[in-house]
Amino acid sequence: MKVIAVTPAGRRRYLHLLAKYILSDDTVAEWHLWDNCRDPADRTYLQSLAGPRVKIVSLPNSNGDNRSINKFYRTMTDPDAFYVKLDDDICYLPQGFFGRFAAKAAASQTNAIWFSPMVINNAICSWLLSFHGKISSSIPLSCQAACTIGWKNPEFAVHLHRAFLTRLEANRIKDFHVPDATMTMGRFSINCLGVFGRDRNALGDAFCPLDVDDEEHISAFLPMLTKRPGQIIGDEVVAHFSYYTQEREMLDTDILERYYQFESMQIRPSPPLASADPAFLPNSAPELFPA
């Protein structure tokens, strides 16, 4: 099965890290970078990535806003491909991710219309981690894409990333595995979305019309339209850096630097770590997450 990665791009500070992961995975036959840059310097960097496996996709009137992305979905036309759309600030991918993700999607018994891995810093994925006892928060998370804690609160994102990085650096990523879950009528942030080209082709422009919110339409409307759910594959874990509600505060921390360091580091032997214990998310603001 051909795997094609696609990324609405982009911001160099994140793309430079994502490129290291994608280009080191031979399973990815092609990487399509959708040129939706706002900054000319970012566009210059984007063009520098072009190569035998990397295609820059430019379309008229793409001005960097979210709605400009919709028309790019029309380019996902290979019927034999499994497309993996990744936000440009996906900051961690496990080795061999693309091949496993595509194989698990193909073998799924749910006949889902879209697939997602477990995404660190995705509001609904955070709720799933809490539901399954993998993380603990003194304020309940809601199972909503716009959860005021899981989506909007930057302090939560900082502590979630730190808890994940602690496990990651100790080679304990399985601590964040959960059972698979399906999505039908709820919005889901499509930070890392898998879809088969044949399914997109069958839907044509109904896959993502130009006048819709692409996340709402793909994640919530398509399952209703096709009577096929979305599926979260719970034992494939990736990390998403931030939403716009979190980014400014996140960039004031060392978290992005730690992800860059991890990408090039040797995994250390696992230190003593109580993997059965949830990753408690403390906070300096007691009203949110008291220790």
Side-chain angles (χ1 to χ4, degrees), residues 143-274:
C143 191
Q144 297 179 23
C147 172
T148 57
I149 302 300
W151 171 74
K152 191 174 183 180
N153 188 287
E155 292 176 280
F156 175 86
V158 167
H159 291 299
L160 178 60
H161 276 293
R162 292 200 191 287
F164 176 67
L165 279 160
T166 297
R167 263 44 178 199
L168 185 61
E169 291 164 354
N171 199 20
R172 303 292 289 268
I173 195 171
K174 288 184 179 180
D175 290 355
F176 285 83
H177 287 183
V178 301
D180 291 354
T182 55
M183 295 285 299
T184 52
M185 296 176 65
R187 180 189 177 108
F188 180 79
S189 296
I190 53 175
N191 309 118
C192 183
L193 176 82
V195 63
F196 290 99
R198 62 177 181 269
D199 289 332
R200 198 230 64 89
N201 289 349
L203 287 163
D205 281 348
F207 181 81
C208 186
L210 297 182
D211 59 347
V212 301
D213 179 310
D214 69 321
E215 291 203 329
E216 178 88 15
H217 184 86
I218 292 171
S219 66
F221 182 78
L222 286 188
M224 295 298 293
L225 177 68
T226 62
K227 298 180 172 56
R228 296 164 61 185
Q231 180 173 341
I232 300 169
I233 298 176
D235 62 353
E236 291 294 338
V237 182
V238 308
H240 162 243
F241 185 69
S242 71
Y243 295 105
Y244 77 90
T245 53
Q246 307 162 339
E247 185 179 29
R248 181 176 298 177
E249 289 83 354
M250 292 278 291
L251 287 173
D252 285 338
T253 72
D254 65 344
I255 288 172
L256 186 60
E257 180 183 2
R258 285 180 65 185
Y259 278 112
Y260 267 102
Q261 289 171 346
F262 179 81
E263 184 276 333
S264 59
M265 73 182 286
Q266 178 75 28
I267 299 295
R268 297 189 298 270
S270 300
L273 183 65

Side-chain angles (χ1 to χ4, degrees), residues 60 124 242 287:
I124 289 177
S242 71
E287 69 272 19

